[in-house]
């Protein structure tokens, strides 16, 4: 059953997108029902996949057409893929509920592109070969272009054009790198690659390394690493709040790809290719943390502040995941989950706080007139009374405080647990890309918490607390409920960390044993 469950996270969003298109652009109530039903179903399927993957000794695979795994389009449902799909599905549900009403009605087909984005994300996490990784990358990027431009306006168009150009360049690097790798190895299946790389001839290995380096540049652009990550703060800040919340996981797609390929193709069993590129990834990760912190200290609005915090989290993950240590990897995986959800909550909270602060989204008459619960095409005051509340500044401040503790990694919330999970083994100075690299990274992670706290506290004072007579912004009930539920879930995670931590420890052990992945995909074809 789990074998067929693997393809559900791809087919369900695709089917939902088709149903939304067939229902027409004006049937907004039906769009909301389909979106939420599909998001709930996807979350249930993703949770079932994660539970099944954790119980299984060997990762489940799905070979389309039942061709041999080495030549088929293969989907692999191991613990890491299931974790990422579950995280994307959760953000998909958050987006579907939060965007009801005014956000989705800024333009047509917001729900359609949201479903296609989920399809691309889930496919990228589940695919077992590089070519289909490229295909799913393009699907999620095409959907993200539409979501970024949703609502129009000069700011979104400018950021959108920049974003499109950057990602077209990344796609070019992706294709060139994949072509070189295929020319040398004769395959794009990641499991087969892990088997063939140790035996490459010296002259072929140099060309393979060149292809891997070019491919790595594409992934680093996706991960928004320095010096190719300056597009992110401006781009995410220009998007609507629910779209930016989903975008919080998109940098993790690049991190995921680097982690997956780095351990499969350049792990300890890769012969002369072992550890290739790790030094550069570590340096770029450390510098990305520094750039993100400087950006946070310089930011003057919540959108940019959230964007630079995403850069800090991406840099932390890139630097930490270079270490082949199960304890560090467990902490890094927990940090990836917490930082992604915290960034999503921060973007949503920023959208609510900015409701009456002159943001162009809220000044546009189209936004105010977009909310039409009766579906009659007319906006009236009666439409608003049932669903609009004046959010007390105290509640918004409490939400901001929780986001601050999560992003800065302060006790007692799970962000602190994740950072401690990384820092403690780093202080033991494990084998890394450079001598004392573990101690250096531990110091930088601790410093990042301090500077993040300074930046976030200053922003909170200036935006929420500096004006005692500030008028409370108007929000919709379901918007406040979504942000509250997301933050409450992260609070609960603090006290129920045991089960997720066990799952992440098992995930780290799987990742550090590439032969287990190859055996799951290739079966008898795998070389021990």
């Amino acid at each position: 059953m789990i074998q067929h469950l693997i393809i559900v996270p791809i087919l369900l969003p695709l089917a939902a997108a088709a149903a939304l298109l067939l229902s027409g652009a004006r049937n907004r109530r039906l769009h909301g029902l389909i979106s939420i039903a599909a998001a709930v179903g996807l979350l249930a399927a993703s949770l079932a996949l994660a539970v099944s993957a954790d119980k299984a000794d060997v990762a489940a695979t799905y070979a389309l057409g039942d061709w041999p795994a080495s030549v088929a389009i293969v989907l692999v449902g191991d613990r890491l893929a299931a974790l990422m799909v579950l995280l994307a599905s959760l953000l998909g549900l958050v987006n579907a509920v939060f965007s009801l009403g005014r956000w989705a009605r800024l333009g047509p087909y917001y729900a359609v592109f949201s479903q296609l984005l989920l399809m691309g994300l889930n496919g990228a996490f589940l695919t077992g070969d590089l070519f289909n990784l490229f295909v799913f990358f393009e699907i999620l990027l095409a959907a993200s272009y539409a979501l970024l431009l949703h609502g129009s306006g000069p700011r979104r168009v400018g950021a959108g054009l920049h974003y499109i150009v950057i990602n077209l360049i990344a796609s070019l690097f992706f294709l060139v790198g994949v072509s070189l790798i295929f020319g040398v190895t004769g395959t794009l299946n990641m499991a087969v690659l892990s088997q063939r790389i140790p035996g490459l001839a010296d002259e072929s290995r140099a060309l393979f390394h060149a292809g891997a380096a070019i491919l790595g540049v594409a992934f680093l652009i996706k991960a928004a690493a320095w010096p190719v990550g300056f597009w992110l703060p401006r781009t995410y800040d220009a998007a609507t709040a629910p779209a930016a919340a989903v975008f919080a996981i998109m940098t993790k797609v690049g991190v995921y790809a680097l982690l997956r390929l780095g351990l499969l193709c350049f792990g300890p069993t890769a012969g002369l290719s072992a550890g290739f590129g790790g030094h550069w990834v570590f340096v770029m990760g450390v510098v990305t943390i520094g750039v993100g912190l400087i950006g946070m200290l310089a930011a003057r609005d919540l959108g940019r502040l959230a964007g630079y915090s995403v850069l800090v989290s991406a840099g932390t993950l890139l630097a930490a995941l270079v270490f082949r240590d199960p304890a560090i990897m467990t902490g890094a995986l927990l940090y990836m989950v917490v930082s992604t959800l915290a960034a999503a909550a921060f973007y949503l909270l920023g959208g609510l706080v900015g409701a009456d602060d002159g943001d162009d989204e809220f000044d546009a008459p189209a936004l105010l007139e977009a909310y039409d619960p009766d579906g009659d095409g007319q906006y009236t005051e009666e439409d608003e009374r049932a669903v609009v509340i004046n959010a007390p500044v105290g509640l918004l401040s409490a939400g901001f405080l929780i986001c601050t503790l999560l992003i800065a990694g302060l006790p007692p919330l799970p962000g602190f647990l994740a950072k401690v999970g990384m820092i403690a083994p780093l202080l033991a100075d494990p084998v890394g890309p450079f001598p004392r690299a573990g101690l250096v990274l531990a110091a930088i992670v601790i410093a990042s918490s301090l500077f993040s706290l300074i930046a976030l506290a200053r922003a909170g004072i200036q935006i929420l607390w500096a004006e005692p007579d500030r008028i409370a912004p108007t929000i919709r009930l379901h918007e406040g409920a979504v942000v509250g539920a997301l933050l409450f879930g992260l609070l609960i995670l603090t006290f129920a960390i045991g089960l997720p931590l066990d799952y992440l420890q098992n995930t780290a052990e799987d990742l550090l044993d590439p032969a287990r992945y190859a055996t799951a995909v290739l079966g008898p074809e795998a070389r021990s």
Side-chain angles (χ1 to χ4, degrees):
M1 189 64 185
I2 186 177
Q3 289 181 321
H4 298 288
L5 191 61
I6 295 173
I7 201 170
V8 172
I10 299 173
L11 292 183
L12 184 56
L14 178 61
L20 288 164
L21 278 173
L22 292 174
S23 66
R26 292 183 175 274
N27 201 337
R28 291 170 175 172
R29 280 188 174 179
L30 183 58
H31 274 212
L33 290 174
I34 294 174
S35 297
I36 293 177
V40 171
L42 181 60
L43 183 61
S46 303
L47 183 59
L49 179 62
V51 172
S52 299
D54 193 39
K55 291 181 178 179
D57 294 329
V58 179
T61 61
Y62 189 94
L64 277 72
D66 203 25
W67 287 85
S70 57
V71 296
I73 296 175
V74 180
L75 304 177
V76 185
D78 67 345
R79 289 185 177 92
L80 178 61
L83 172 67
M84 300 306 294
V85 169
L86 180 60
L87 187 58
S89 301
L90 178 58
L91 291 179
L93 178 59
V94 167
N95 173 42
V97 177
F98 190 91
S99 62
L100 290 174
R102 52 177 173 172
W103 303 98
R105 296 170 192 239
L106 283 173
Y109 299 118
Y110 179 88
V112 174
F113 291 114
S114 295
Q115 293 296 325
L116 292 176
L117 178 67
L118 289 175
M119 174 193 171
L121 286 169
N122 293 339
F125 295 138
L126 290 168
T127 187
D129 68 274
L130 292 177
F131 180 77
N132 285 289
L133 180 61
F134 171 79
V135 171
F136 285 117
F137 261 49
E138 294 307 300
I139 291 173
L140 72 90
L141 287 173
S144 70
Y145 300 155
L147 292 176
L148 174 59
L149 294 171
H150 181 74
S152 192
R155 189 162 67 99
R156 290 198 182 99
V157 172
L161 290 175
H162 186 203
Y163 176 68
I164 291 170
V165 170
I166 290 293
N167 279 285
L168 287 176
I169 295 172
S171 297
L172 177 62
F173 279 117
F174 199 132
L175 282 177
V176 172
V178 163
S179 300
L180 288 173
I181 291 173
F182 182 76
V184 172
T185 63
T187 185
L188 294 177
N189 184 290
M190 289 186 273
V192 178
L193 281 173
S194 70
Q195 303 277 293
R196 294 185 181 179
I197 289 170
L200 288 176
D202 291 343
E203 59 273 14
S204 298
R205 190 177 300 277
L207 190 58
F208 170 75
H209 285 176
I214 295 172
L215 186 61
V217 171
F219 293 149
L220 288 168
I221 293 175
K222 310 291 186 186
W226 179 88
V228 288
F230 291 104
W231 56 269
L232 187 146
R234 179 192 179 200
T235 300
Y236 287 15
D237 182 37
T240 59
V246 181
F247 288 176
I249 197 175
M250 288 179 58
T251 55
K252 307 309 184 289
V253 179
V255 174
Y256 167 86
L258 287 167
L259 175 62
R260 177 73 78 187
L261 284 177
L263 291 172
L264 280 176
C265 300
F266 304 108
T269 61
L272 296 176
S273 295
F276 173 77
H279 299 74
W280 289 105
V281 173
F282 178 83
V283 170
M284 294 177 76
V286 168
V287 177
T288 301
I289 297 173
V291 170
L293 290 173
I294 293 172
M296 289 183 71
L297 292 170
R300 289 294 180 268
D301 61 83
L302 293 185
R304 292 295 179 95
L305 188 60
Y308 283 112
S309 75
V310 173
L311 288 187
V312 173
S313 68
T316 303
L317 290 170
L318 289 172
L321 292 173
V322 170
F323 294 87
R324 307 301 194 234
D325 182 277
I328 297 174
M329 192 162 293
T330 300
L333 291 173
L334 178 60
Y335 177 74
M336 178 172 62
V337 172
V338 174
S339 63
T340 301
L341 295 177
F346 198 50
Y347 274 117
L348 296 178
L349 188 67
L352 299 183
V353 170
D356 294 315
D357 275 347
D359 191 295
D360 62 351
E361 296 166 353
F362 293 88
D363 291 338
L367 180 61
L368 295 177
E369 295 174 2
Y371 191 79
D372 178 22
D374 294 333
D376 56 7
Q378 297 179 353
Y379 171 82
T380 64
E381 291 184 3
E382 284 72 18
D383 288 336
E384 288 285 301
R385 288 173 183 167
V387 293
V388 175
I389 59 172
N390 290 326
V393 176
L395 285 179
L396 295 176
S397 299
F400 186 89
L401 176 61
I402 295 172
C403 286
T404 297
L405 296 177
L406 287 167
I407 293 172
L410 298 179
L413 300 187
F416 171 75
L417 301 178
K419 286 197 171 183
V420 169
M422 289 188 291
I423 292 171
L426 284 171
L427 290 175
D429 199 19
V431 176
F434 299 103
R436 306 293 183 185
L439 298 176
V440 170
L441 182 57
I444 291 173
V445 171
I446 294 171
S448 72
S449 294
L450 173 62
F451 288 113
S452 296
L453 177 62
I454 294 172
L456 290 164
R458 185 191 62 186
I461 292 171
Q462 292 176 345
I463 296 172
L464 291 171
W465 304 309
E467 301 178 15
D469 298 328
R470 174 188 174 91
I471 299 175
T474 56
I475 67 173
R476 278 63 178 170
L477 289 173
H478 65 273
E479 295 170 351
V482 169
V483 177
L486 187 55
L487 293 177
F488 181 73
L490 287 167
L491 290 175
I492 292 298
L493 184 61
T494 306
F495 305 99
I497 197 68
L499 185 60
L501 200 59
D502 289 341
Y503 183 97
L504 296 176
Q505 288 172 344
N506 293 333
T507 303
E509 292 174 2
D510 285 350
L511 290 171
L512 293 172
D513 186 5
R516 186 180 300 182
Y517 181 94
T519 301
V521 175
L522 302 176
E525 302 177 49
R527 176 170 51 85
S528 60

